[in-house]
Amino acid sequence: MADVLHRLSLRLSRLTVTLAGILVYLFLALPVVVIVLSAFSPEPYPQFPPQGLSLRWFEALLQDPAWIESLWVSLLLLAIVTPLTVVLGTFAAWSLARLNFRYREALQAFILSPLMIPQVVLGIALLYVLTAAGIAGTLSGLAIGHAVVALPYVVRTVSVSLAVMDKRLESVAMSLGAGRWYTFRTVTLPLIKPGILAGAVFASVTSFGEVSVSLFMTAPGTITVPVQVFNYVDQTFDPTVNAISVIFIVIAILLLMVIEKTIGLVKLNQTG
């Protein structure tokens, strides 16, 4: 009798955990479902469930020069910020992990400080600095601001890969006559590739969705998609924003598929 009650208790516990997990997933997925279905509504305002299906708002999105320009600016920033932060973050993480020098901890805290500083404060600070340098409101200024925000993510993910990597492999390579740079290229880089890829993903997502810092540094010709969404929602209320959100969701799904085919989501999660 005690064994039967114990097995019944275990089954009930598993069922409770399973139901709780399903409810959590439904809670997270429901807003996405609402946004996607509302984007195909033919009505001039978001409606759920939609009374019909239409591509009206996707056509409006592609025909609006403001959306096209903001999308172009965001993609251009993405193409600049992602490789820049990956290169700088990888070398910074390697230097912090392998080199011994004074004030190493202070330098690491300085690099990671954007993770702890409120985004509004960081945006105001960057506005003052970039204005003094004469590049506030330019694409270069935006790229610098986004790089400052995204760099800590690359440093953290690459640092994790370096921490779990066997340092003896580097020592063996150098003991056989390989220089430090050759060892870094042929031994270290392949082993920390998951951390680099994870950092690139985090940097891309951070740059593409950055709004707090961008609000302080955008100009009429350098408005990013998040800032455009912020301004659009403040002025109008139609499903065009839902349409751009659907495009972002599709891009995110494609990105996850690429990561799964290359290194796998489980390995990426362990690295992050």
Side-chain angles (χ1 to χ4, degrees), residues 75-91 147 151 154 196 199-200 203-204:
L75 292 176
L76 192 56
L77 281 173
L78 192 68
I80 296 172
V81 172
T82 301
L84 178 63
T85 52
V86 166
V87 172
L88 294 178
T90 300
F91 280 108
L151 182 63
V154 181
I196 296 175
S204 301

Side-chain angles (χ1 to χ4, degrees), residues 40 82 89 96 117 136 159 170 179 194 212-214 217 240 247 270:
F40 294 94
T82 301
L96 293 170
I117 299 175
S159 296
E170 295 176 320
S212 300
V213 173
S214 300
M217 296 187 297
T240 304
I247 294 176
Q270 292 174 348

